[in-house]
Amino acid sequence: MAPDQFAPGQFAMLYAFGVGEAAISYSGNPASDAPIDHTVRAAGATTTALANLRVGDALAMRGPYGRGWPMAAIAGRDLIIMAGGLGLAPLRPVMMAALLRSAGARRVALLYGTRSPRTLLFASDRHAWAPRGAQLLVTVDRAGPDWTGHVGLVHRLIPRARIDPANAVAFLCGPEVMMRFSAAALVDAGVAPARVWLSLERNMKCAIGHCGHCQFGADFVCWDGPVLRYDRIAARLRVPEL
């Protein structure tokens, strides 16, 4: 597969010359003729170097790698997308594909949580998704007097989602503690564990399942994931500190 032909949920290894390499999910339109988009948060030396690149600068890319979202599972079902913070980036291609009639989703609901209003991603996209039929529910951890939306944890939005849990598929991406609570809340609401999918983040080096840096129990996140089914990994998810 060429670097510009990827499935939603896959990632590429981006290399900042002289600094290092990082696994970054594709966040653009999965159509083969669309530009390649990656969304990078400056968190370490490599991602800071990538974020500081300007038009005309060079970087290296290899990929796509990994198993993406099971898009075929959307057909005929309600789709609930739950994202926390930067976790909306790997789910953006899902939204783009799911809002096309060819994807076959009955209804689409996006539940998105982030720290504060100023850290919300893809404002223009979110404004365009609702008129195309998606239900958008947004919440923040902390808000000022100008914020009129929800405040609190994203999984608390689940009862507001206009979906049929018995006929729903759920895709989750965000901090692991957010996904753990959200997946459990979805199951409690009636979504089958086998129809809940999580995208995990681990330290990746080779991206082809050889080096072992991203081993997660019996799985390698780069090769068997990063998207994995909840009922397979629930017992391995980290227990949050209370």
Side-chain angles (χ1 to χ4, degrees), residues 7-10 30 67-99 103-105 107-113 135 137 154-155 158 161 163 165 167-175 178-184 186-187 191-200 226-230 233:
Q10 289 188 304
R67 299 178 186 271
W69 304 104
M71 299 301 292
I74 294 175
R77 297 190 183 275
D78 292 347
L79 172 63
I80 183 167
I81 295 174
M82 297 188 67
L86 196 62
L88 183 58
L91 287 164
R92 184 171 176 247
V94 176
M95 286 295 297
M96 292 176 170
L99 292 177
R107 289 173 292 193
V108 179
L110 169 63
L111 281 55
Y112 175 36
Q135 180 191 14
L137 297 171
V154 68
H155 71 270
I158 292 173
I163 62 161
N167 192 39
V169 173
F171 295 170
L172 282 65
C173 188
M178 164 258 162
M179 291 194 293
R180 179 179 180 270
F181 278 112
S182 297
L186 286 166
V187 172
V191 182
R195 293 203 298 269
V196 177
W197 299 80
L198 286 65
S199 181
L200 299 185
V227 176
L228 294 165
R229 210 172 68 195
Y230 178 61
I233 63 172

Side-chain angles (χ1 to χ4, degrees), residues 116-164:
S116 68
R118 66 180 183 83
T119 60
L120 291 167
L121 297 178
F122 309 125
S124 60
D125 286 327
R126 286 185 285 107
H127 293 154
W129 290 337
R132 294 175 61 188
Q135 180 191 14
L136 269 61
L137 297 171
V138 179
T139 186
V140 298
D141 295 337
R142 300 181 301 275
D146 295 334
W147 177 254
T148 59
H150 300 287
V151 177
L153 301 176
V154 68
H155 71 270
R156 293 177 179 167
L157 297 176
I158 292 173
R160 299 175 179 269
R162 294 192 297 266
I163 62 161
D164 174 11

Side-chain angles (χ1 to χ4, degrees), residues 9-11 65-69 197-200 204 207 214 219-229 232:
Q10 289 188 304
F11 65 94
Y65 295 115
R67 299 178 186 271
W69 304 104
W197 299 80
L198 286 65
S199 181
L200 299 185
M204 299 183 192
C214 66
D219 296 309
F220 293 100
V221 173
C222 71
W223 186 257
D224 302 297
V227 176
L228 294 165
R229 210 172 68 195
R232 288 189 56 223

